[in-house]
């Protein structure tokens, strides 16, 4: 085996390891995002808030603030 082949194989191994680590990191980040979303929903539930109601309230406030009829 020549020197060039040896270093080529080593570089490919490093690339494979880097890709594996990147995939593992993506999976962990995705899982953390899911867990954070679950925790936020639990907190909203504990406070007695309905997430859909909160979104509607925000939309209503936005509509009221930027109502073209009210701006005249």
């Amino acid at each position: 085996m020549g020197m060039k082949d040896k270093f080529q194989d080593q570089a490919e191994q490093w690339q494979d390891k880097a890709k594996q680590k990147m995939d593992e990191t993506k999976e962990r980040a995705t899982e953390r995002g899911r867990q954070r979303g679950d925790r936020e929903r639990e907190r909203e539930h504990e406070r007695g808030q309905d997430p859909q109601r909160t979104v509607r309230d925000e939309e209503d406030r936005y509509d009221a603030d930027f109502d073209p009829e009210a701006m005249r």
Side-chain angles (χ1 to χ4, degrees):
M1 177 187 283
M3 290 296 277
K4 186 175 182 181
D5 292 335
K6 178 180 176 182
F7 290 117
Q8 182 84 24
D9 291 341
Q10 190 175 28
E12 288 174 2
Q13 289 174 356
W14 287 342
Q15 285 179 340
D16 290 340
K17 283 183 182 180
K19 287 178 185 178
Q20 287 175 344
K21 286 187 178 188
M22 190 171 62
D23 290 341
E24 291 171 4
T25 302
K26 285 180 184 179
E27 288 175 17
R28 283 194 306 263
T30 302
E31 184 61 30
R32 281 194 304 261
R34 282 191 206 117
Q35 290 173 352
R36 188 175 67 186
D38 292 342
R39 284 192 306 267
E40 288 175 3
R41 282 191 290 280
E42 287 174 11
R43 277 190 237 125
E44 289 173 351
H45 180 68
E46 289 171 0
R47 289 183 284 187
Q49 293 180 341
D50 177 13
Q52 291 298 326
R53 182 173 164 254
T54 305
V55 170
R56 285 192 300 270
D57 290 345
E58 291 174 5
E59 290 172 350
D60 291 343
R61 276 187 259 137
Y62 178 83
D63 291 341
D65 288 344
F66 296 101
D67 183 16
E69 294 295 321
M71 294 179 94
R72 290 183 186 177

